[in-house]
Amino acid sequence: MITLTSSLHQEPLEMPFALPQPFIDSHQVVAVQTGGTEQLFQQAVQQGTIRLQEPVYLVVSNHSNSLAAALEILSWVHQQGGSGRVISSPDDLPSASSALRRLGVIGQPSDWLIASHVDRQQVRERMQIELVDIPIEEVSQIGPVDGGLAGAERIYERLKELVKDYRLDGLTLRCFDLLSTLHNTGCMALSHLNDEGIPAACEGDIPLLLTMMAAKDKWGSIGFQVNPAEIHKDGKLLLAHCTVPLKMTRSHQLDTHFESGIGVGIHGELPEGDYYLMKMGGDLSSYLCETVHLYQNQYAPNLCRTQVWVQGSPELAERLLTHPIANHLLLVKKEK
């Protein structure tokens, strides 16, 4: 918790109530003890001590112009595009059910995702999810890394730091930008995060990340982000990508990233069996959720590294060919 006190007050003032430590640990809390602290708050933002990318909770007392200063500060926060609230008593604390989950959008969605945008206000109101924009430079600042596994693991470590710093429940990464700045990929990093229960999508795909969140909420599983590579009228589909969670595989080996031929991509062998193939549209109204049967793994050189054949229905194939929900889908193991 950050404490702001004007230099006009010689002694620190006691706040009228104590906040629960779990709330302090999981939120950005600022104790506005006195008036005249507005510029101190601005300075803390400029120094990076306070982040406007996440909500600011301003705790006030009932004296020394504490509330007046907090109201001025919160008005300024809103002008900068931030959010927050004033807390003058324990009753003002947000309940667990009303707390927004926070998903990081690290870099903007990839340029080719022209049908994968969302209305952020709808996401906030209908799913209780706040999308937090994080510059891709927050990752690329680690500088060129080793082009093999050591570099891929360093990218993972950096993403874990951002999850902690921004208090994220999940993220999507504009990963192709890392090819030129870090000379490696985010495939292994995203695989590790998904294995740890932190939904992590690639290419900055927000609807796919929201689909991952929905799958985790319903089944406790995050799944594997895939591209359809072949669609046959009888319902046979070839699905491929390079970021498969290792826990979903029965075996795996490392390769390069397919499109670039550099860094680390993952070829995983998935167990045969029934899976859900699902996707939520960016409008939050269109959706796909069908049972498919995974019956074969392959390893062709001209596709993303993990490649699986699934059998769906002819109706599923027809829908994907006539009314797709963009290109990425989510494959989730169907537990018995």
Side-chain angles (χ1 to χ4, degrees):
M1 180 167 65
I2 299 169
T3 300
L4 301 179
T5 303
S6 169
S7 59
L8 297 176
H9 295 264
Q10 299 301 316
E11 297 181 0
L13 301 174
E14 292 293 331
M15 301 305 285
F17 59 91
L19 291 174
Q21 193 61 44
F23 179 81
I24 295 174
D25 292 341
S26 59
H27 296 80
Q28 187 172 222
V29 180
V30 180
V32 182
Q33 291 193 322
T34 71
T37 52
E38 294 85 346
Q39 289 185 326
L40 294 177
F41 183 91
Q42 285 184 317
Q43 291 169 8
V45 171
Q46 293 166 359
Q47 295 165 358
T49 308
I50 297 172
R51 296 174 179 269
L52 296 187
Q53 295 93 334
E54 58 184 288
V56 180
Y57 292 90
L58 303 170
V59 183
V60 301
S61 68
N62 56 4
H63 50 71
S64 301
N65 290 323
S66 169
L67 176 59
L71 295 177
E72 184 75 14
I73 289 170
L74 186 55
S75 297
W76 181 80
V77 167
H78 289 157
Q79 291 172 2
Q80 309 311 305
S83 63
R85 71 166 295 145
V86 173
I87 298 177
S88 59
S89 77
D91 293 339
D92 295 328
L93 291 173
S95 66
S97 61
S98 66
L100 292 173
R101 290 183 290 180
R102 295 166 52 78
L103 300 182
V105 182
I106 305 179
Q108 293 301 305
S110 294
D111 298 342
W112 50 86
L113 297 184
I114 61 174
S116 298
H117 298 280
V118 299
D119 182 323
R120 294 186 174 216
Q121 188 61 31
Q122 280 194 5
V123 171
R124 186 183 181 94
E125 293 175 355
R126 295 174 59 177
M127 299 188 69
Q128 292 297 292
I129 288 175
E130 181 177 18
L131 297 173
V132 182
D133 287 316
I134 302 171
I136 191 65
E137 289 77 16
E138 290 266 23
V139 181
S140 59
Q141 69 182 13
I142 64 176
V145 297
D146 176 85
L149 182 58
E153 295 290 354
R154 179 66 188 100
I155 294 171
Y156 159 67
E157 292 166 1
R158 180 56 184 152
L159 292 182
K160 284 281 289 191
E161 291 169 357
L162 293 178
V163 168
K164 179 181 179 181
D165 291 346
Y166 285 89
R167 299 182 178 93
L168 301 178
D169 299 291
L171 61 86
T172 183
L173 173 68
R174 186 181 169 99
C175 44
F176 274 76
D177 284 20
L178 303 184
L179 298 174
S180 58
T181 57
L182 299 183
H183 309 297
N184 210 315
T185 70
C187 303
M188 182 62 74
L190 300 179
S191 174
H192 285 335
L193 291 172
N194 285 319
D195 274 341
E196 295 171 5
I198 302 171
C202 60
E203 301 177 39
D205 193 324
I206 298 173
L208 196 284
L209 177 59
L210 296 177
T211 306
M212 286 179 161
M213 292 293 290
K216 182 182 179 182
D217 289 345
K218 188 169 182 62
W219 298 300
S221 300
I222 294 173
F224 170 34
Q225 177 177 345
V226 296
N227 281 326
E230 292 186 31
I231 301 175
H232 297 267
K233 289 186 177 180
D234 63 358
K236 288 185 173 65
L237 311 174
L238 175 59
L239 309 172
H241 230 231
C242 294
T243 61
V244 63
L246 299 185
K247 287 184 178 179
M248 288 185 68
T249 69
R250 63 188 180 199
S251 64
H252 74 275
Q253 62 190 85
L254 302 182
D255 201 333
T256 57
H257 175 252
F258 165 58
E259 287 89 346
S260 66
I262 68 173
V264 178
I266 306 169
H267 167 65
E269 298 275 337
L270 273 66
E272 291 81 5
D274 289 341
Y275 290 74
Y276 294 109
L277 189 65
M278 59 186 299
K279 180 66 179 293
M280 178 186 300
D283 59 5
L284 307 187
S285 297
S286 57
Y287 67 92
L288 168 73
C289 187
E290 299 283 347
T291 297
V292 297
H293 184 78
L294 192 155
Y295 65 91
Q296 181 182 339
N297 292 269
Q298 70 170 40
Y299 200 12
N302 61 342
L303 290 171
C304 294
R305 303 314 185 185
T306 297
Q307 306 157 22
V308 297
W309 283 96
V310 301
Q311 178 68 64
S313 65
E315 292 76 18
L316 171 61
E318 179 67 13
R319 177 176 180 183
L320 292 176
L321 290 170
T322 59
H323 293 86
I325 306 180
N327 69 331
H328 290 135
L329 301 170
L330 188 67
L331 191 68
V332 181
K333 188 73 170 71
K334 191 173 183 180
E335 301 298 337
K336 296 180 180 179

